Amino acid sequence: MASSTTPVSFLAPPLEQLRHLAEELRSLLPRVRVGEAQETAEEFNREMFWRRLNEAAMKVSGEATVLTTLFSKIPSPSPQETQRICEQVHIATEEVIAAYYTFPKDQGITLRKLVRNAVLDIVDGTAQLLDALLAAPSQSPENGDLISCNSVSVACQQVAEIPKDNKAAALLMLTKSVDLVKDAHEEMEQAVEECDPYCGLLDDSEDNSDSHHNEDGVGLPSNRDSYWSEEDQALITPCLALVRASRASLKKIRILVAENGRKDQVAQLDDIVDISDEISPSVDDLVLSVYPPVCHLTVRITVLSSSVTLPDDLETVHSLNLELVWQPASPVVSLFLSPQLWVCETGVCFNKGS
């Protein structure tokens, strides 16, 4: 009589299980980045959503701590123990993602992006923790494990700091834009203050002097790529004024949204944030374009781009019926609100409808 045998399920070694889990978590990231909110007939319960998301995040943090502790002990965990903790980590991560999918777009795209980024940080941080555990043997745990575990905990704790409505989210993003433009403005001002058009002219060695003469024998500076000519400096003045105007306008927009914006103006607040997010990169491009050697065509194209973005933002604020009384930061560059035409006193004029 043949004896019946119970099939024994094969479990991969612990490190192989960790590697597989890290791959699974990373495969979830694209889905989170492009995932749409779940369709539901139920009315959105804001309080329930935030409680669910925070509890799921704290569960991930707890499982990450258990995972790190388990693989920092001697002996190494068994395949069965590893399977159990990997399943718990995977389930906890899926719960965070599932909570995110219940957040509807009509609550605000700006706020939804903040929630999405928080979830991405949690999932990616957990995958990085697994990478750290794979890189360091359990018999000699390294600081990298603890740092990665702490990064997961920090990402999970940040969930509680996310603004709870779209107006607060918009103000947070506007503040970040103001800070970025402020840094670019100060960097450009410092560069202008430190500008020395004669820098390097007296430092040329006699050995290299022959290489800096034109056909007429007139000496040319050896640092033509590292100083501003008079023509460059004349172009920089209105550029600096435009950066200053962008900074002043963003600050004013943030104040107006804080004082007069309403929480129910969800779509309009999203529009303001979207356009404001374009101002900072435009200012960065402008600042970079005026560093020597200066290409005047590139600077003028960049100025035109910045001049388009700023009026769009101001017009969006105007559409919210927020009273905008703006005095330009400099008389060199003045932008005037008009339904069809924006005028820049540097000579750039364009029709918004074109």
Side-chain angles (χ1 to χ4, degrees):
M1 183 175 179
S3 59
S4 60
T5 58
T6 303
V8 178
S9 60
F10 173 76
L11 292 177
L15 294 184
E16 186 62 31
Q17 292 187 49
L18 294 185
R19 185 175 293 106
H20 179 67
L21 178 58
E23 293 173 354
E24 283 189 335
L25 295 184
R26 287 201 167 91
S27 69
L28 299 175
L29 293 174
R31 192 182 82 189
V32 176
R33 291 190 180 99
V34 301
E36 299 290 340
Q38 294 177 344
E39 296 290 340
T40 177
E42 298 180 3
E43 184 178 355
F44 177 69
N45 188 317
R46 185 186 302 271
E47 183 178 347
M48 184 180 297
F49 166 79
W50 290 112
R51 182 170 63 250
R52 177 184 178 185
L53 182 64
N54 191 61
E55 289 176 353
M58 289 301 99
K59 184 175 180 181
V60 173
S61 178
E63 299 298 350
T65 301
V66 173
L67 178 67
T68 304
T69 303
L70 189 63
F71 275 83
S72 297
K73 292 181 179 180
I74 300 175
S76 301
S78 66
Q80 291 77 14
E81 290 177 307
T82 304
Q83 182 188 43
R84 177 183 58 81
I85 185 60
C86 284
E87 288 177 351
Q88 291 174 347
V89 170
H90 192 274
I91 291 173
T93 306
E94 287 279 11
E95 288 179 359
V96 171
I97 297 174
Y100 160 65
Y101 282 143
T102 65
F103 191 83
K105 285 185 176 181
D106 60 14
Q107 294 296 309
I109 300 299
T110 303
L111 181 54
R112 195 169 190 270
K113 286 180 179 179
L114 292 179
V115 177
R116 181 192 64 193
N117 291 340
V119 172
L120 288 172
D121 288 343
I122 292 173
V123 179
D124 186 56
T126 306
Q128 291 183 32
L129 170 60
L130 292 166
D131 292 340
L133 292 173
L134 285 167
S138 59
Q139 287 81 0
S140 57
E142 297 180 354
N143 289 335
D145 300 345
L146 300 178
I147 293 174
S148 298
C149 182
N150 183 62
S151 298
V152 175
S153 298
V154 170
C156 293
Q157 291 169 5
Q158 289 300 313
V159 169
E161 305 299 323
I162 300 175
K164 299 302 184 288
D165 61 71
N166 206 48
K167 177 182 176 181
L171 286 172
L172 175 63
M173 300 308 297
L174 287 172
T175 299
K176 291 182 178 181
S177 294
V178 169
D179 291 341
L180 290 173
V181 173
K182 173 177 175 288
D183 291 342
H185 178 216
E186 292 176 349
E187 175 187 340
M188 190 172 181
E189 281 192 328
Q190 181 179 359
V192 171
E193 291 175 358
E194 296 175 352
C195 172
D196 181 3
Y198 303 102
C199 177
L201 293 181
L202 303 178
D203 296 334
D204 294 338
S205 63
E206 295 181 359
D207 295 337
N208 296 330
S209 61
D210 294 339
S211 63
H212 301 299
H213 286 75
N214 59 15
E215 295 178 355
D216 299 327
V218 179
L220 295 176
S222 63
N223 62 335
R224 299 185 67 180
D225 290 346
S226 61
Y227 81 101
W228 281 316
S229 65
E230 291 184 2
E231 292 81 3
D232 294 341
Q233 294 182 58
L235 186 64
I236 289 170
T237 300
C239 290
L240 180 58
L242 181 57
V243 173
R244 188 182 297 114
S246 298
R247 176 182 175 182
S249 298
L250 276 176
K251 290 176 65 177
K252 185 65 176 179
I253 290 170
R254 182 185 59 182
I255 293 173
L256 289 171
V257 170
E259 294 179 349
N260 302 329
R262 301 195 313 270
K263 293 182 180 180
D264 60 353
Q265 294 175 308
V266 175
Q268 294 92 332
L269 290 169
D270 286 334
D271 290 341
I272 288 178
V273 172
D274 286 343
I275 299 173
S276 297
D277 284 345
E278 297 176 7
I279 293 179
S280 177
S282 297
V283 169
D284 285 339
D285 291 342
L286 179 57
V287 172
L288 291 175
S289 69
V290 298
Y291 276 101
V294 178
C295 174
H296 287 215
L297 178 60
T298 300
V299 173
R300 296 183 186 280
I301 292 175
T302 308
V303 166
L304 182 60
S305 174
S306 301
S307 301
V308 171
T309 303
L310 184 57
D312 283 343
D313 213 359
L314 298 179
E315 185 171 317
T316 303
V317 174
H318 183 72
S319 70
L320 289 177
N321 296 321
L322 302 181
E323 183 181 359
L324 180 58
V325 181
W326 177 55
Q327 295 297 326
S330 168
V332 180
V333 176
S334 300
L335 297 171
F336 299 94
L337 184 60
S338 171
Q340 297 297 328
L341 187 66
W342 286 85
V343 181
C344 178
E345 288 187 357
T346 53
V348 179
C349 301
F350 55 93
N351 191 299
K352 285 180 62 59
S354 60

